[in-house]
Amino acid sequence: LPQGNDLYDVFFIDSQTGWAVGIFGTILKTNNGGLNWEVKNSGTTNTLQAVFFLDGQMGWAVGNEGTILKTMNGGQYWDKQISGITNTFNAVHFLDSQTGWVVGDGGKASKTTFAVGSNGYNGRILKTTDAGQTWNTQPSGTSNWLNALHFIDNLTGWIVGDFDVVLKTINGGQTWYPQTATSNASFLLSVHFVDSQKGWVVGDGGKILKTTDGGQTWNQQFTVPFLPSEFYSVHFTSTD
């Protein structure tokens, strides 16, 4: 890689094209499946925690100090969007060019895209319905950090966070209700669903959880023994 900075997230839209983000506002792009990476100017020195692209041109990156960046040209240039807060955003997910969420800290949720974040151990959710020009908070109902989110359509989505937090919405994030994944104070770090019923969550201690009923019940699939390892990301391309 053309720099020595820590990287926190990576996103590919196909087998060749992908982006990575990390500390000091680092953004990298590859056009050949990761063989080579090019540094892009993010316009910020804040740590970037997550990146998401809808296609080869339109994408968002989020991170510390309420940072939300958007690109319309594949990451060549990035514009800052106003979140209105200084919390840390840990994840971002868009359904289309207008609707998305970010999540993190702060105990609230906002809509345009969904973003999740953290701040003083309060779960924050923001949503946008105008491509990120404005963000609205949505109540998360938890005081714990929120680390990741995934939507399968414009109504149904899940968020995971610290201390076993799993939240589900079936109305586009207007309301979120808790689901029980584990009972041992786990930090849940990533979530992915392939349809309305089947999904996975991963987290600290090498934990992997699976549901086949939309999150009503979760079964532990695998835990790496004797390792303090954390699984930071999970993604499936099919139900198998």
Side-chain angles (χ1 to χ4, degrees), residues 92-113:
V92 56
H93 185 87
F94 272 77
L95 294 173
D96 53 43
S97 62
Q98 299 298 307
T99 305
W101 292 259
V102 295
V103 297
D105 65 21
K108 298 180 180 178
S110 294
K111 175 181 179 179
T112 287
T113 295

PDB file of all heavy atoms in Angstrom, residues 92-113:
ATOM      1  N   VAL A  92     -21.898   3.389   7.607  1.00  0.00           N
ATOM      2  CA  VAL A  92     -22.782   4.112   6.692  1.00  0.00           C
ATOM      3  C   VAL A  92     -23.357   3.120   5.696  1.00  0.00           C
ATOM      4  O   VAL A  92     -22.673   2.194   5.256  1.00  0.00           O
ATOM      5  CB  VAL A  92     -22.031   5.261   5.977  1.00  0.00           C
ATOM      6  CG1 VAL A  92     -20.803   4.739   5.258  1.00  0.00           C
ATOM      7  CG2 VAL A  92     -22.956   5.993   5.002  1.00  0.00           C
ATOM      8  N   HIS A  93     -24.637   3.304   5.361  1.00  0.00           N
ATOM      9  CA  HIS A  93     -25.292   2.409   4.400  1.00  0.00           C
ATOM     10  C   HIS A  93     -26.348   3.191   3.636  1.00  0.00           C
ATOM     11  O   HIS A  93     -27.173   3.891   4.238  1.00  0.00           O
ATOM     12  CB  HIS A  93     -25.953   1.240   5.123  1.00  0.00           C
ATOM     13  CG  HIS A  93     -26.545   0.222   4.196  1.00  0.00           C
ATOM     14  ND1 HIS A  93     -25.819  -0.824   3.683  1.00  0.00           N
ATOM     15  CD2 HIS A  93     -27.790   0.088   3.684  1.00  0.00           C
ATOM     16  CE1 HIS A  93     -26.594  -1.561   2.899  1.00  0.00           C
ATOM     17  NE2 HIS A  93     -27.805  -1.019   2.878  1.00  0.00           N
ATOM     18  N   PHE A  94     -26.316   3.088   2.302  1.00  0.00           N
ATOM     19  CA  PHE A  94     -27.317   3.731   1.446  1.00  0.00           C
ATOM     20  C   PHE A  94     -28.101   2.675   0.684  1.00  0.00           C
ATOM     21  O   PHE A  94     -27.547   1.664   0.245  1.00  0.00           O
ATOM     22  CB  PHE A  94     -26.652   4.697   0.467  1.00  0.00           C
ATOM     23  CG  PHE A  94     -26.477   6.085   1.023  1.00  0.00           C
ATOM     24  CD1 PHE A  94     -25.472   6.358   1.924  1.00  0.00           C
ATOM     25  CD2 PHE A  94     -27.321   7.105   0.646  1.00  0.00           C
ATOM     26  CE1 PHE A  94     -25.309   7.621   2.446  1.00  0.00           C
ATOM     27  CE2 PHE A  94     -27.168   8.387   1.153  1.00  0.00           C
ATOM     28  CZ  PHE A  94     -26.164   8.645   2.059  1.00  0.00           C
ATOM     29  N   LEU A  95     -29.387   2.948   0.501  1.00  0.00           N
ATOM     30  CA  LEU A  95     -30.247   2.073  -0.297  1.00  0.00           C
ATOM     31  C   LEU A  95     -30.268   2.493  -1.755  1.00  0.00           C
ATOM     32  O   LEU A  95     -30.369   1.664  -2.653  1.00  0.00           O
ATOM     33  CB  LEU A  95     -31.673   2.094   0.246  1.00  0.00           C
ATOM     34  CG  LEU A  95     -31.866   1.500   1.637  1.00  0.00           C
ATOM     35  CD1 LEU A  95     -33.286   1.741   2.110  1.00  0.00           C
ATOM     36  CD2 LEU A  95     -31.555   0.013   1.622  1.00  0.00           C
ATOM     37  N   ASP A  96     -30.211   3.811  -1.972  1.00  0.00           N
ATOM     38  CA  ASP A  96     -30.233   4.381  -3.311  1.00  0.00           C
ATOM     39  C   ASP A  96     -29.536   5.732  -3.247  1.00  0.00           C
ATOM     40  O   ASP A  96     -28.909   6.064  -2.232  1.00  0.00           O
ATOM     41  CB  ASP A  96     -31.668   4.502  -3.845  1.00  0.00           C
ATOM     42  CG  ASP A  96     -32.592   5.241  -2.882  1.00  0.00           C
ATOM     43  OD1 ASP A  96     -32.171   6.290  -2.318  1.00  0.00           O
ATOM     44  OD2 ASP A  96     -33.729   4.807  -2.691  1.00  0.00           O
ATOM     45  N   SER A  97     -29.645   6.530  -4.277  1.00  0.00           N
ATOM     46  CA  SER A  97     -28.909   7.799  -4.326  1.00  0.00           C
ATOM     47  C   SER A  97     -29.422   8.825  -3.329  1.00  0.00           C
ATOM     48  O   SER A  97     -28.762   9.832  -3.085  1.00  0.00           O
ATOM     49  CB  SER A  97     -28.982   8.394  -5.735  1.00  0.00           C
ATOM     50  OG  SER A  97     -30.328   8.684  -6.083  1.00  0.00           O
ATOM     51  N   GLN A  98     -30.581   8.582  -2.723  1.00  0.00           N
ATOM     52  CA  GLN A  98     -31.182   9.557  -1.817  1.00  0.00           C
ATOM     53  C   GLN A  98     -31.235   9.096  -0.364  1.00  0.00           C
ATOM     54  O   GLN A  98     -31.077   9.912   0.547  1.00  0.00           O
ATOM     55  CB  GLN A  98     -32.624   9.873  -2.277  1.00  0.00           C
ATOM     56  CG  GLN A  98     -32.708  10.467  -3.669  1.00  0.00           C
ATOM     57  CD  GLN A  98     -32.003  11.796  -3.781  1.00  0.00           C
ATOM     58  OE1 GLN A  98     -32.252  12.713  -3.000  1.00  0.00           O
ATOM     59  NE2 GLN A  98     -31.121  11.918  -4.761  1.00  0.00           N
ATOM     60  N   THR A  99     -31.459   7.829  -0.126  1.00  0.00           N
ATOM     61  CA  THR A  99     -31.810   7.352   1.214  1.00  0.00           C
ATOM     62  C   THR A  99     -30.700   6.526   1.847  1.00  0.00           C
ATOM     63  O   THR A  99     -30.224   5.551   1.261  1.00  0.00           O
ATOM     64  CB  THR A  99     -33.086   6.498   1.164  1.00  0.00           C
ATOM     65  OG1 THR A  99     -34.128   7.257   0.556  1.00  0.00           O
ATOM     66  CG2 THR A  99     -33.510   6.096   2.570  1.00  0.00           C
ATOM     67  N   GLY A 100     -30.317   6.906   3.064  1.00  0.00           N
ATOM     68  CA  GLY A 100     -29.276   6.183   3.771  1.00  0.00           C
ATOM     69  C   GLY A 100     -29.239   6.504   5.254  1.00  0.00           C
ATOM     70  O   GLY A 100     -29.982   7.363   5.747  1.00  0.00           O
ATOM     71  N   TRP A 101     -28.347   5.805   5.957  1.00  0.00           N
ATOM     72  CA  TRP A 101     -28.184   5.978   7.395  1.00  0.00           C
ATOM     73  C   TRP A 101     -26.700   5.974   7.771  1.00  0.00           C
ATOM     74  O   TRP A 101     -25.878   5.371   7.084  1.00  0.00           O
ATOM     75  CB  TRP A 101     -28.852   4.844   8.157  1.00  0.00           C
ATOM     76  CG  TRP A 101     -30.350   4.805   8.082  1.00  0.00           C
ATOM     77  CD1 TRP A 101     -31.242   5.234   9.025  1.00  0.00           C
ATOM     78  CD2 TRP A 101     -31.147   4.265   7.032  1.00  0.00           C
ATOM     79  NE1 TRP A 101     -32.528   5.008   8.608  1.00  0.00           N
ATOM     80  CE2 TRP A 101     -32.499   4.419   7.386  1.00  0.00           C
ATOM     81  CE3 TRP A 101     -30.839   3.673   5.793  1.00  0.00           C
ATOM     82  CZ2 TRP A 101     -33.548   3.994   6.574  1.00  0.00           C
ATOM     83  CZ3 TRP A 101     -31.881   3.252   4.977  1.00  0.00           C
ATOM     84  CH2 TRP A 101     -33.223   3.415   5.370  1.00  0.00           C
ATOM     85  N   VAL A 102     -26.402   6.647   8.873  1.00  0.00           N
ATOM     86  CA  VAL A 102     -25.094   6.526   9.516  1.00  0.00           C
ATOM     87  C   VAL A 102     -25.334   6.245  10.992  1.00  0.00           C
ATOM     88  O   VAL A 102     -26.314   6.706  11.562  1.00  0.00           O
ATOM     89  CB  VAL A 102     -24.233   7.801   9.339  1.00  0.00           C
ATOM     90  CG1 VAL A 102     -23.876   8.015   7.882  1.00  0.00           C
ATOM     91  CG2 VAL A 102     -24.928   9.013   9.915  1.00  0.00           C
ATOM     92  N   VAL A 103     -24.446   5.461  11.607  1.00  0.00           N
ATOM     93  CA  VAL A 103     -24.622   5.139  13.020  1.00  0.00           C
ATOM     94  C   VAL A 103     -23.310   5.284  13.773  1.00  0.00           C
ATOM     95  O   VAL A 103     -22.234   5.170  13.209  1.00  0.00           O
ATOM     96  CB  VAL A 103     -25.184   3.715  13.218  1.00  0.00           C
ATOM     97  CG1 VAL A 103     -26.573   3.598  12.599  1.00  0.00           C
ATOM     98  CG2 VAL A 103     -24.253   2.667  12.632  1.00  0.00           C
ATOM     99  N   GLY A 104     -23.457   5.513  15.093  1.00  0.00           N
ATOM    100  CA  GLY A 104     -22.286   5.673  15.940  1.00  0.00           C
ATOM    101  C   GLY A 104     -22.666   5.930  17.369  1.00  0.00           C
ATOM    102  O   GLY A 104     -23.392   5.154  17.970  1.00  0.00           O
ATOM    103  N   ASP A 105     -22.209   7.063  17.912  1.00  0.00           N
ATOM    104  CA  ASP A 105     -22.522   7.351  19.305  1.00  0.00           C
ATOM    105  C   ASP A 105     -23.460   8.545  19.398  1.00  0.00           C
ATOM    106  O   ASP A 105     -23.614   9.300  18.463  1.00  0.00           O
ATOM    107  CB  ASP A 105     -21.253   7.605  20.105  1.00  0.00           C
ATOM    108  CG  ASP A 105     -20.515   8.847  19.650  1.00  0.00           C
ATOM    109  OD1 ASP A 105     -21.118   9.716  19.027  1.00  0.00           O
ATOM    110  OD2 ASP A 105     -19.319   8.932  19.930  1.00  0.00           O
ATOM    111  N   GLY A 106     -24.119   8.693  20.538  1.00  0.00           N
ATOM    112  CA  GLY A 106     -24.977   9.840  20.739  1.00  0.00           C
ATOM    113  C   GLY A 106     -26.407   9.515  21.085  1.00  0.00           C
ATOM    114  O   GLY A 106     -27.191  10.402  21.379  1.00  0.00           O
ATOM    115  N   GLY A 107     -26.814   8.258  21.041  1.00  0.00           N
ATOM    116  CA  GLY A 107     -28.145   7.848  21.459  1.00  0.00           C
ATOM    117  C   GLY A 107     -29.275   8.259  20.561  1.00  0.00           C
ATOM    118  O   GLY A 107     -30.421   8.277  20.950  1.00  0.00           O
ATOM    119  N   LYS A 108     -28.970   8.638  19.315  1.00  0.00           N
ATOM    120  CA  LYS A 108     -30.023   9.060  18.396  1.00  0.00           C
ATOM    121  C   LYS A 108     -29.788   8.440  17.019  1.00  0.00           C
ATOM    122  O   LYS A 108     -28.758   7.874  16.738  1.00  0.00           O
ATOM    123  CB  LYS A 108     -30.062  10.588  18.268  1.00  0.00           C
ATOM    124  CG  LYS A 108     -30.385  11.301  19.570  1.00  0.00           C
ATOM    125  CD  LYS A 108     -30.403  12.787  19.367  1.00  0.00           C
ATOM    126  CE  LYS A 108     -30.713  13.504  20.665  1.00  0.00           C
ATOM    127  NZ  LYS A 108     -30.687  14.960  20.529  1.00  0.00           N
ATOM    128  N   ALA A 109     -30.766   8.645  16.117  1.00  0.00           N
ATOM    129  CA  ALA A 109     -30.630   8.158  14.746  1.00  0.00           C
ATOM    130  C   ALA A 109     -31.040   9.247  13.794  1.00  0.00           C
ATOM    131  O   ALA A 109     -31.944   9.993  14.058  1.00  0.00           O
ATOM    132  CB  ALA A 109     -31.491   6.927  14.559  1.00  0.00           C
ATOM    133  N   SER A 110     -30.378   9.337  12.648  1.00  0.00           N
ATOM    134  CA  SER A 110     -30.736  10.321  11.647  1.00  0.00           C
ATOM    135  C   SER A 110     -30.920   9.647  10.311  1.00  0.00           C
ATOM    136  O   SER A 110     -30.342   8.615  10.047  1.00  0.00           O
ATOM    137  CB  SER A 110     -29.655  11.380  11.515  1.00  0.00           C
ATOM    138  OG  SER A 110     -29.555  12.127  12.680  1.00  0.00           O
ATOM    139  N   LYS A 111     -31.717  10.250   9.433  1.00  0.00           N
ATOM    140  CA  LYS A 111     -32.027   9.594   8.169  1.00  0.00           C
ATOM    141  C   LYS A 111     -31.674  10.458   6.976  1.00  0.00           C
ATOM    142  O   LYS A 111     -31.958  11.631   6.927  1.00  0.00           O
ATOM    143  CB  LYS A 111     -33.513   9.244   8.107  1.00  0.00           C
ATOM    144  CG  LYS A 111     -33.964   8.657   6.770  1.00  0.00           C
ATOM    145  CD  LYS A 111     -35.440   8.367   6.783  1.00  0.00           C
ATOM    146  CE  LYS A 111     -35.896   7.801   5.444  1.00  0.00           C
ATOM    147  NZ  LYS A 111     -37.318   7.487   5.424  1.00  0.00           N
ATOM    148  N   THR A 112     -31.104   9.921   6.005  1.00  0.00           N
ATOM    149  CA  THR A 112     -30.857  10.365   4.628  1.00  0.00           C
ATOM    150  C   THR A 112     -30.275   9.125   4.037  1.00  0.00           C
ATOM    151  O   THR A 112     -30.773   8.539   3.124  1.00  0.00           O
ATOM    152  CB  THR A 112     -29.839  11.508   4.504  1.00  0.00           C
ATOM    153  OG1 THR A 112     -30.414  12.710   4.946  1.00  0.00           O
ATOM    154  CG2 THR A 112     -29.483  11.671   3.039  1.00  0.00           C
ATOM    155  N   THR A 113     -29.189   8.811   4.633  1.00  0.00           N
ATOM    156  CA  THR A 113     -28.618   7.473   4.552  1.00  0.00           C
ATOM    157  C   THR A 113     -28.622   7.153   6.000  1.00  0.00           C
ATOM    158  O   THR A 113     -28.720   8.015   6.825  1.00  0.00           O
ATOM    159  CB  THR A 113     -27.164   7.558   4.079  1.00  0.00           C
ATOM    160  OG1 THR A 113     -27.167   8.041   2.780  1.00  0.00           O
ATOM    161  CG2 THR A 113     -26.507   6.206   4.152  1.00  0.00           C
TER     162      THR A 113
END
